[in-house]
Amino acid sequence: MAKLENPVLMAKIGGAQGLRGEVRVSTYTGDPLALGDYGNLVTADGRVFEILELREGKNVVVVRFRGINDRNAAESLNGLELFIERDNLPDDELDDDEFYYADLEGLEAVDAEGKSYGAVSAVYDFGAGDLLELKGAGRRPALIPFSEAAVLEIDLEAGRILIDPMAAGLIDNPDDKDETGISPFGKK
């Protein structure tokens, strides 16, 4: 059993494939066949999986893990998420302005005046563009667009992102009030 200090989600196991213990796996890597290039994969509870074979399937990769030799064993893995340690990701291939989404988690979101809106707790992609989830003490979680208009600067070394709270949808535009002084959102 191995617990990871800084886990990065790489894949999720789906159903069994065939009778020899193979499973269908959805990967979160740029190249699905590169899943085996990162070393052993680890589950949240610390189980380690070594890839023996990896081949492309329809919308997934088909994987055979060491010690998983029959369909029953493969079916028991359905739904498991597989992680690697952040240090196993190759930083030397990144340009100066590139980063991994995993590096954004934990960064504090602040505006130009230094007001904090919470820390990035997750990055989501629901199909219409990436979203950052911000969580802060005493605040409800908020989703903001991960766009150039909303996220002005990313400073990994300082542990923060500079945001425009209006473009991010965190505050109302004071110019949007009608003649009654009420914004379209029902706030004065």
Side-chain angles (χ1 to χ4, degrees):
M1 297 260 187
K3 287 285 188 177
L4 301 179
E5 288 183 31
N6 195 4
V8 176
L9 179 62
M10 299 298 286
K12 184 174 183 179
I13 299 175
Q17 173 82 26
L19 301 174
R20 300 181 325 141
E22 293 178 320
V23 290
R24 293 184 299 273
V25 176
S26 297
T27 66
Y28 306 117
T29 58
D31 173 14
L33 294 176
L35 183 63
D37 296 346
Y38 299 101
N40 291 340
L41 302 167
V42 182
T43 62
D45 62 4
R47 290 183 283 167
V48 177
F49 288 88
E50 178 185 349
I51 295 176
L52 295 179
E53 294 178 23
L54 179 73
R55 62 183 163 82
E56 203 164 357
K58 186 176 181 179
N59 300 324
V60 294
V61 290
V62 178
V63 179
R64 192 164 74 89
F65 293 110
R66 180 174 304 282
I68 307 300
N69 300 317
D70 60 39
R71 186 171 182 87
N72 290 337
E75 287 174 346
S76 72
L77 303 178
N78 191 0
L80 280 179
E81 293 180 325
L82 301 171
F83 301 86
I84 63 168
E85 186 65 54
R86 166 59 183 92
D87 293 341
N88 290 356
L89 293 174
D91 286 332
D92 55 338
E93 295 176 11
L94 295 176
D95 291 335
D96 289 338
D97 60 344
E98 289 184 316
F99 50 85
Y100 293 107
Y101 280 178
D103 295 338
L104 296 177
E105 293 182 19
L107 298 183
E108 184 180 12
V110 297
D111 65 12
E113 286 84 43
K115 179 181 177 187
S116 176
Y117 289 87
V120 177
S121 58
V123 181
Y124 297 109
D125 180 5
F126 297 118
D130 296 332
L131 298 170
L132 300 179
E133 180 182 58
L134 303 180
K135 287 185 179 177
R139 295 176 179 254
R140 288 184 176 178
L143 293 175
I144 67 168
F146 187 36
S147 64
E148 289 181 7
V151 179
L152 305 174
E153 180 183 320
I154 298 168
D155 190 345
L156 296 175
E157 290 179 15
R160 67 177 189 87
I161 60 173
L162 179 64
I163 63 169
D164 178 343
M166 193 172 306
L170 297 172
I171 60 172
D172 293 336
N173 184 347
D175 299 331
D176 285 345
K177 295 180 181 174
D178 65 14
E179 59 277 351
T180 64
I182 299 175
S183 78
F185 304 104
K187 300 175 188 170
K188 287 192 174 190

